[in-house]
Amino acid sequence: MIGVHLEGGTVTVRDVPRPRRRPGFALLKLRLAGICNTDLELLRGYYGFAGRPGHEFVADVFEADDKRWIGKRVVGEINLACGRCEWCARGLGRHCPARTVLGIVKHPGAFADYLTLPEMNLREVPRGLRDEEAVFTEPVAAACEILEQCRIPKSAAVAVLGDGKLGLLIAQTLAAHGADVSLYGHHPERARRAGVARGRAGKRFAWVIEATGSEVGLAQAIEMCVPRGTVICKSTVAARVAIDMAQVIVPEITLVGSRCGRFEPALKLLAAGKVRTDWMIAARVPLREAPRAFELAATRGTLKVLLEP
Amino acid sequence: MIGVHLEGGTVTVRDVPRPRRRPGFALLKLRLAGICNTDLELLRGYYGFAGRPGHEFVADVFEADDKRWIGKRVVGEINLACGRCEWCARGLGRHCPARTVLGIVKHPGAFADYLTLPEMNLREVPRGLRDEEAVFTEPVAAACEILEQCRIPKSAAVAVLGDGKLGLLIAQTLAAHGADVSLYGHHPERARRAGVARGRAGKRFAWVIEATGSEVGLAQAIEMCVPRGTVICKSTVAARVAIDMAQVIVPEITLVGSRCGRFEPALKLLAAGKVRTDWMIAARVPLREAPRAFELAATRGTLKVLLEP
């Protein structure tokens, strides 16, 4: 089969053996995958990564222990947890210290004709949801995670910093929650397309979401936050960020690190049409042209690049 | 009267006119004051400070609009709020954007024979509380602020990083709350004197208080925090701090900036003998020898230096 390989800043496509599934795992046949900013960071050396990336996907179940899965169209939670530790017992397998992570930490990713994932990670895609919508489940889940971590009042004014892929999904997710979202970014037309307000200069907020993917985003977010307000940090940039902690401590601002979320609320939002993704697709590129797809995805202003087998 | 003056890294003692009180303000005659790490930071240029420092004090009310105050022994909240904005209406005058701050921002401090403060800022010192205890009210209030901002369960394991003045008061305050406190610092005997456990290497916590006053403290605190845990940041060091935000975002850690607190719970803790401060007093120095007092306070390992008129 074909598999994408990242190493030393280079994307290659390799002919590799189909992976074998271990007990409890399903073998999945890829239908569609998405390139995330994390994949671009991995290419730059984040996590010292070398291997097969890809954690946003839709696939058909090809083999599984539980035969009822076979032939089902699925998405999958990306954290492969041990299932036995205290984190797993609390339903927080995505913080399991023994976990591997699909396409990020020690488990080959979805940018290949086939991939494996534990059956417990699979979620069936609702019939009405198209592949090109369902492929956004993982990043929408990351947006939903904000609402799992923070009690944002339904009508709260919220600033979303960054109108890239993740920022746009967060803006829509919070708008669906009922928040009064202002989107800040370099592309004024994107706020309208996401159905939210365009951020006005000088305004300050009790809730600020930092999703710029940039090293300066955090300082901007802190500056836009009122005393006792909350900045939710979504940008895992590979570099260290310098913060003036007095600007956090004096106004008693809270910074919340936020990462992956549960898939269920994300699938619901997508199935209900409350998060729209069609306009966010910049290109569909065959897997074997992954180098071009990565190049395109890394081009300033490009939204989602999809990979298809 | 005598007043202490900081400017360009130098402490001087000046003969200055007694301050005039404005309407709504009391004129206070100093009984005892304390040197805080913030005063040392002001000396180093934090806030671009030049003027009279001092925000930890006990005093007698000498003049006031409300004659019932006169002769009372008081401490005072250090934020001088406008009393009219939304922050003041919410009882958060310490975040009033128009505020000045005693001895820190545009209001002459307590290191003088006399000082002024709004009568609404005064709190009477309970009869049983000695001056050398009551002078700790402001930093104990800063410790109590942690419990106002965060719901730390009563029996929670909490790490306090830093066994300097503030760290020791925080450790005692959280122990009085019922927390299982581990104190980390350079002076092993201080944990015993504070009545808490000495921190063991390699242990991790859901609650970590950063009170080292050092630029490296925050990174250490983040490292000691479990996923989904909370780091409460108390060190306003003047320099910028470099953080690897991936270490905050991947484990979804929350950082809470925490500053001044209400005086009422602090006075209660001190009056009940639940926070003991006698052993923390390194020296009592006359106001006119303030340069020596500052030098002593800045010496590594020195705890509280008090100034007396």
Side-chain angles (χ1 to χ4, degrees):
Chain A
M1 68 165 195
I2 273 179
V4 176
H5 185 88
L6 301 189
E7 193 162 355
T10 308
V11 185
T12 50
V13 178
R14 296 177 172 186
D15 217 336
V16 291
R18 184 196 286 177
R20 290 201 200 165
R21 68 179 187 93
R22 285 180 280 159
F25 280 63
L27 178 66
L28 309 176
K29 187 172 190 307
L30 188 70
R31 295 174 64 93
L32 197 59
I35 298 180
C36 163
N37 276 12
T38 301
D39 298 315
L40 301 175
E41 292 275 345
L42 293 177
L43 181 59
R44 287 184 206 115
Y46 179 59
Y47 272 116
F49 185 87
R52 185 180 310 147
H55 57 276
E56 302 179 0
F57 74 92
V58 193
D60 291 316
V61 181
F62 196 73
E63 290 175 18
D65 284 353
D66 182 342
K67 302 305 171 201
R68 287 169 296 183
W69 275 118
I70 294 173
K72 292 256 161 72
R73 194 168 59 116
V74 298
V75 289
E77 297 228 13
I78 71 173
N79 294 282
L80 290 78
C82 75
R84 292 179 302 274
C85 71
E86 57 163 325
W87 297 99
C88 290
R90 284 168 57 190
L92 285 171
R94 49 197 194 277
H95 289 295
C96 169
R99 76 184 183 280
T100 59
V101 186
L102 178 70
I104 301 175
V105 183
K106 294 180 186 167
H107 190 82
F111 294 167
D113 288 321
Y114 291 86
L115 64 146
T116 67
L117 211 55
E119 291 174 32
M120 61 184 274
N121 284 42
L122 304 181
R123 303 289 179 272
E124 188 174 359
V125 177
R127 195 177 299 266
L129 205 58
R130 288 173 295 132
D131 287 349
E132 53 268 41
E133 296 166 323
V135 76
F136 284 88
T137 307
E138 196 278 333
V140 173
C144 291
E145 179 73 350
I146 293 169
L147 294 168
E148 180 158 326
Q149 291 179 277
C150 300
R151 291 189 199 177
I152 302 182
K154 280 198 182 295
S155 59
V158 176
V160 175
L161 271 59
D163 56 4
K165 298 181 281 296
L166 186 56
L168 291 168
L169 296 175
I170 291 170
Q172 293 186 72
T173 298
L174 296 179
H177 173 68
D180 175 12
V181 175
S182 293
L183 181 65
Y184 291 79
H186 295 300
H187 309 274
E189 77 287 359
R190 289 185 183 172
R192 185 182 52 75
R193 301 204 71 170
V196 300
R198 205 180 139 188
R200 283 187 289 114
K203 213 179 155 192
R204 295 174 79 210
F205 296 83
W207 301 95
V208 182
I209 321 293
E210 200 288 292
T212 63
S214 123
E215 287 162 46
V216 296
L218 183 57
Q220 288 170 347
I222 290 168
E223 232 178 83
M224 288 175 63
C225 190
V226 299
R228 290 278 183 113
T230 301
V231 173
I232 294 145
C233 307
K234 279 290 189 185
S235 297
T236 44
V237 294
R240 292 168 76 87
V241 175
I243 309 183
D244 180 352
M245 282 305 289
Q247 287 191 16
V248 174
I249 291 173
V250 173
E252 297 191 319
I253 287 171
T254 294
L255 308 181
V256 179
S258 177
R259 190 177 44 112
C260 300
R262 295 185 308 115
F263 274 31
E264 289 78 359
L267 282 168
K268 270 188 199 165
L269 280 176
L270 286 164
K274 290 191 173 166
V275 173
R276 304 297 299 267
T277 56
D278 43 350
W279 62 278
M280 289 174 58
I281 297 170
R284 293 176 75 129
V285 178
L287 258 186
R288 71 173 55 80
E289 295 174 36
R292 178 170 72 85
F294 267 79
E295 204 175 311
L296 182 59
T299 307
R300 229 185 143 74
T302 306
L303 288 173
K304 186 62 76 183
V305 176
L306 300 178
L307 287 168
E308 46 194 6
Chain B
M1 69 166 193
I2 273 179
V4 175
H5 185 87
L6 301 190
E7 194 162 355
T10 308
V11 184
T12 52
V13 178
R14 296 177 172 185
D15 217 334
V16 290
R18 184 196 287 177
R20 291 201 200 166
R21 72 179 184 91
R22 283 180 280 159
F25 280 63
L27 178 67
L28 309 176
K29 187 172 190 305
L30 188 71
R31 294 175 65 95
L32 197 58
I35 299 179
C36 164
N37 276 12
T38 301
D39 299 316
L40 302 175
E41 292 274 347
L42 293 177
L43 181 59
R44 287 183 207 116
Y46 179 60
Y47 273 115
F49 186 87
R52 186 179 310 146
H55 57 274
E56 300 179 0
F57 73 92
V58 193
D60 291 317
V61 180
F62 196 71
E63 289 174 18
D65 284 352
D66 182 342
K67 302 305 170 201
R68 287 169 297 185
W69 274 118
I70 294 173
K72 291 254 161 71
R73 193 168 59 117
V74 297
V75 289
E77 297 226 15
I78 71 173
N79 294 281
L80 290 78
C82 75
R84 291 178 303 273
C85 70
E86 58 162 323
W87 296 100
C88 291
R90 284 169 56 190
L92 286 171
R94 50 198 193 278
H95 288 295
C96 169
R99 75 186 183 279
T100 59
V101 186
L102 178 71
I104 301 175
V105 183
K106 294 180 185 167
H107 189 84
F111 294 168
D113 289 321
Y114 291 86
L115 64 146
T116 66
L117 211 55
E119 292 175 32
M120 61 184 275
N121 285 42
L122 305 181
R123 303 289 179 272
E124 189 172 359
V125 176
R127 195 176 299 267
L129 204 58
R130 288 172 298 130
D131 287 349
E132 52 269 41
E133 296 165 322
V135 76
F136 284 88
T137 307
E138 195 278 333
V140 173
C144 291
E145 178 73 349
I146 293 168
L147 294 169
E148 180 158 326
Q149 292 178 276
C150 300
R151 291 189 199 176
I152 302 182
K154 280 198 181 297
S155 60
V158 177
V160 176
L161 271 59
D163 57 4
K165 299 180 281 294
L166 185 56
L168 291 168
L169 296 175
I170 291 169
Q172 293 185 73
T173 297
L174 296 179
H177 172 67
D180 175 13
V181 175
S182 293
L183 182 65
Y184 291 79
H186 295 299
H187 308 274
E189 76 287 0
R190 289 186 183 170
R192 186 183 51 75
R193 300 204 72 171
V196 300
R198 205 181 141 189
R200 283 187 289 114
K203 214 180 155 192
R204 295 175 79 209
F205 296 83
W207 301 95
V208 182
I209 321 292
E210 199 289 291
T212 63
S214 123
E215 288 161 45
V216 295
L218 182 57
Q220 289 170 345
I222 291 168
E223 231 178 83
M224 289 175 62
C225 191
V226 299
R228 289 277 184 113
T230 301
V231 173
I232 294 145
C233 306
K234 279 290 190 187
S235 296
T236 43
V237 294
R240 292 167 77 86
V241 174
I243 309 182
D244 181 351
M245 283 304 290
Q247 288 191 17
V248 174
I249 291 172
V250 173
E252 298 191 317
I253 287 172
T254 294
L255 308 180
V256 179
S258 177
R259 191 177 43 113
C260 301
R262 295 187 307 116
F263 273 32
E264 290 79 357
L267 282 167
K268 269 187 199 165
L269 280 176
L270 286 163
K274 291 191 174 167
V275 173
R276 304 297 301 266
T277 56
D278 44 348
W279 63 278
M280 288 174 58
I281 297 169
R284 294 176 73 129
V285 178
L287 259 185
R288 71 174 53 80
E289 295 174 36
R292 179 170 71 84
F294 267 79
E295 203 175 314
L296 183 58
T299 307
R300 228 183 144 75
T302 305
L303 287 174
K304 185 62 76 184
V305 176
L306 300 177
L307 287 168
E308 47 193 5

